[in-house]
Amino acid sequence: MIVWLNGTHGAGKTTTAALVRQLIPDSRVFDAEKVGETLMDVTPGLPETDNFQHWPPWRPLVVETARRVIDYTGGTLVMPMTVLVERYWHEISTGLAQHALPVRHFVLHADQATLRARIRGDTVLGPDSPFRLRYLEPYAEAARTWLHREAEVIDTTHLTPAQAARQVAQAVRNREVRPPRANPPL
């Protein structure tokens, strides 16, 4: 199984993923950003883009890497990765489904003020604000138009990463499919 943690910068994906891994037996964390970093190392470089997700090889390579890891290790793969382009999400989720890999898609959500504060106060990654802040509006647009409809939304505005991780792990353990909810405020 794939547990995909979506959401924008500051929502708590990376921290929550590490905690989810501790709560779900036989699970591993795979950050699909590493696939993008590998593509960025191709020389001479691939065509210029502001986001490696726009490179057509990224999406099938994410699917293939996830499939190969699960084929090798079994268990659950926890994947913290922002995907805000609906077509890209459908390519990835369809690719995983073609390999009979069930996906639990969660969006870690927080309101805009909370996201800005978290990004600016990040002591681990540093307040790389211009890069990270420019994804807040695309996230809000994706949330309004498709993303919250396609996933189980966990509002992390007032949750610790440990609380969010417990909610994700509990939902996975219950294996229930939750109906789409009304969007929380952006």
Side-chain angles (χ1 to χ4, degrees), residues 80-141:
M81 186 72 217
T82 301
V83 177
L84 301 180
V85 177
E86 185 175 14
R87 180 172 57 91
Y88 297 174
W89 173 250
H90 285 284
E91 285 179 43
I92 292 167
S93 59
T94 300
L96 294 168
Q98 288 172 344
H99 293 291
L101 290 170
V103 177
R104 290 297 295 268
H105 184 199
F106 296 90
V107 170
L108 302 185
H109 172 82
D111 62 50
Q112 293 283 311
T114 299
L115 291 168
R116 287 178 196 286
R118 288 178 184 170
I119 290 167
R120 289 187 177 121
D122 190 330
T123 58
V124 176
L125 296 176
D128 184 13
S129 297
F131 170 78
R132 295 164 75 201
L133 289 172
R134 86 170 168 241
Y135 283 93
L136 294 183
E137 185 48 41
Y139 166 74
E141 178 64 19

Side-chain angles (χ1 to χ4, degrees), residues 41 61 65 72 82 89-90 98 110 113 133 138 142 150 164 183:
D41 287 340
L61 285 171
T65 305
Y72 181 62
T82 301
W89 173 250
H90 285 284
Q98 288 172 344
L133 289 172
E150 294 276 332
N183 291 347

Side-chain angles (χ1 to χ4, degrees), residues 152-169:
E152 300 172 55
V153 179
I154 296 178
D155 190 333
T156 67
T157 302
H158 302 291
L159 296 180
T160 66
Q163 291 169 321
R166 282 194 295 275
Q167 284 190 22
V168 169

Side-chain angles (χ1 to χ4, degrees), residues 6 16 71 76 112 170:
N6 207 337
T16 301
D71 283 353
T76 299
Q112 293 283 311
Q170 184 64 45

